[in-house]
Amino acid sequence: MNPYQSLPARAFWRSAVAEPDPLAIDDLWTPAFTIGQDDPVLTVGSCFAAHIGRALLERGMNWYDAEPAPPGLTEEERRARHYGVFSFRTGTVYTAAVLRQWLSWAFGRSTPPTEAWLEDGRYHDPFRPSVEPGGHASAEAMLAARGTTLAAIRDAVTEASCLVFTMGLTEAWRDRADGTVYSSCPGTVRGTFDPERHVFHAFTFEEVRRDLADAIALAREANPGLRVLLTVSPHPLTATATGAHVLTANTYSKSLLRTVAGQLTRDLDDVDYFPSYELVTGIPFRSRFYAPNLREVTPEGVDFVMRHFMTALSRSAAGPRPARADRPVAEPKGVDTCDDAVLDYYRPR
């Protein structure tokens, strides 16, 4: 008798991954807490977070839009100005450091810089350069607009039931003078790159873990009951400034983020991880959910991820499920020389 003899089929690679139809793979996530249909849910993070918020809204969940668009804008204008993309108009938040920074500014733990980037007579926010593509008439107007977003963050975090944060990158650019983290490298979306001032930083595991834990602590000071759901974006890096090949840099970055997410789910109460990353990048799916550029997730992929999300939440709300009868599994073809291959002998039949 050994511990593997009592494990369910989902614990074994062949019966849980290799044998089933990929679209029928199930039971990847057991929610640590329930999210009711009326519970206000915030989404923030990398590009994939925008898909999650929209999908929640389409499925009748209470996605919290803390900064709704003013009347009179077309759908194209709303999207271009980042209305309805995330729960508040921070723009894309790729790193845990930037999430912590926004929360620190919103709740008065630190003071945001007052610098504005001037281009063609218009003023742009260095920390959300794509949010207002047309810019602002003055630096004061830019700071006032940012103030509106900071107020929206305060209100939303205080009232929300759950915060969904999609982790995207471990690479960022910082201001050498004060350590402020930019959402994108100056000189790319907006601004002018200054090699004396703008310095590249690749965050370590401990830095990401600390930044994310601090961000959660900041949010929970305002809302002690806030639950946090972490995900990792399946979108690969567009480019890397580490000097490594982008393929290996992407593997390192996503592995680190996934490990941080796993660690915090162990360390903190009411922090959970939803495997959107695995549902898109996993071996059995063979990149089927990627567009031809191998970066963007197709609508089919988003729908697949969200079906898993909603199904798991429904099961959680309904209580424990009865034991499932597992179908017989074919004997392996070929020989596996790895020592741990013997564990497959103990899978349920």
Side-chain angles (χ1 to χ4, degrees):
M1 187 68 180
N2 66 68
Y4 290 92
Q5 290 175 263
S6 60
L7 294 178
R10 69 195 295 270
F12 295 86
W13 184 266
R14 184 143 61 98
S15 54
V17 178
E19 293 286 348
D21 182 307
L23 296 183
I25 290 174
D26 192 16
D27 212 13
L28 271 74
W29 180 48
T30 302
F33 46 77
T34 59
I35 302 175
Q37 191 165 0
D38 296 326
D39 291 342
V41 178
L42 307 179
T43 56
V44 63
S46 72
C47 301
F48 197 75
H51 294 308
I52 295 175
R54 188 161 53 249
L56 289 174
L57 194 61
E58 290 171 354
R59 287 161 174 79
M61 300 289 284
N62 185 13
W63 177 68
Y64 196 131
D65 185 359
E67 233 179 321
L73 297 182
T74 66
E75 176 61 24
E76 183 178 353
E77 289 170 334
R78 286 197 296 269
R79 302 299 290 183
R81 295 175 63 185
H82 282 243
Y83 286 107
V85 178
F86 305 105
S87 287
F88 21 76
R89 291 204 307 153
T90 55
T92 309
V93 176
Y94 288 110
T95 65
V98 169
L99 177 65
R100 176 195 53 74
Q101 190 168 265
W102 276 110
L103 290 170
S104 178
W105 292 345
F107 289 103
R109 294 307 180 87
S110 61
T111 302
T114 58
E115 175 191 13
W117 287 343
L118 179 62
E119 292 184 7
D120 300 324
R122 302 290 290 179
Y123 293 84
H124 299 269
D125 193 332
F127 302 101
R128 47 179 201 157
S130 62
V131 166
E132 283 288 349
H136 301 271
S138 66
E140 291 76 17
M142 184 214 78
L143 292 173
R146 185 197 291 166
T148 299
T149 293
L150 293 174
I153 293 173
R154 286 193 297 274
D155 292 343
V157 169
T158 301
E159 297 179 20
S161 175
C162 180
L163 168 67
V164 181
F165 177 51
T166 300
M167 308 161 74
L169 298 177
T170 58
E171 300 182 18
W173 293 83
R174 303 194 296 192
D175 190 313
R176 189 187 300 273
D178 59 13
T180 307
V181 185
Y182 294 98
S183 61
S184 59
C185 178
T188 55
V189 179
R190 297 282 178 190
T192 301
F193 182 74
D194 180 353
E196 298 299 319
R197 178 178 179 183
H198 303 133
V199 57
F200 174 73
H201 185 73
F203 289 95
T204 65
F205 170 88
E206 182 53 32
E207 287 173 326
V208 177
R209 188 206 63 79
R210 185 181 63 244
D211 281 332
L212 189 48
D214 288 349
I216 293 171
L218 279 167
R220 284 181 168 170
E221 285 184 18
N223 182 354
L226 183 69
R227 296 165 293 178
V228 177
L229 184 60
L230 302 175
T231 68
V232 173
S233 172
H235 290 176
L237 277 66
T238 303
T240 178
T242 60
H245 190 287
V246 69
L247 183 60
T248 58
N250 182 71
T251 300
Y252 174 81
S253 183
K254 300 299 183 179
S255 299
L256 190 154
L257 295 174
R258 177 62 184 90
T259 306
V260 168
Q263 187 66 49
L264 289 182
T265 62
R266 290 170 176 258
D267 293 345
L268 302 177
D269 293 335
D270 283 338
V271 175
D272 198 6
Y273 172 77
F274 172 68
S276 56
Y277 179 75
E278 289 85 342
L279 284 165
V280 175
T281 67
I283 291 171
F285 308 116
R286 295 176 170 84
S287 299
R288 69 183 294 161
F289 296 130
Y290 283 109
N293 64 7
L294 297 181
R295 282 204 71 257
E296 296 175 27
V297 177
T298 63
E300 178 196 10
V302 175
D303 187 62
F304 180 68
V305 169
M306 294 310 300
R307 285 205 312 271
H308 276 263
F309 184 83
M310 298 302 298
T311 298
L313 286 180
S314 298
R315 287 173 176 168
S316 175
R321 287 170 292 157
R324 182 182 61 189
D326 295 296
R327 64 181 178 83
V329 181
E331 290 303 310
K333 298 179 176 66
V335 178
D336 193 329
T337 59
C338 296
D339 286 346
D340 69 347
V342 70
L343 299 179
D344 186 60
Y345 174 81
Y346 300 105
R347 75 191 185 282
R349 287 172 166 79

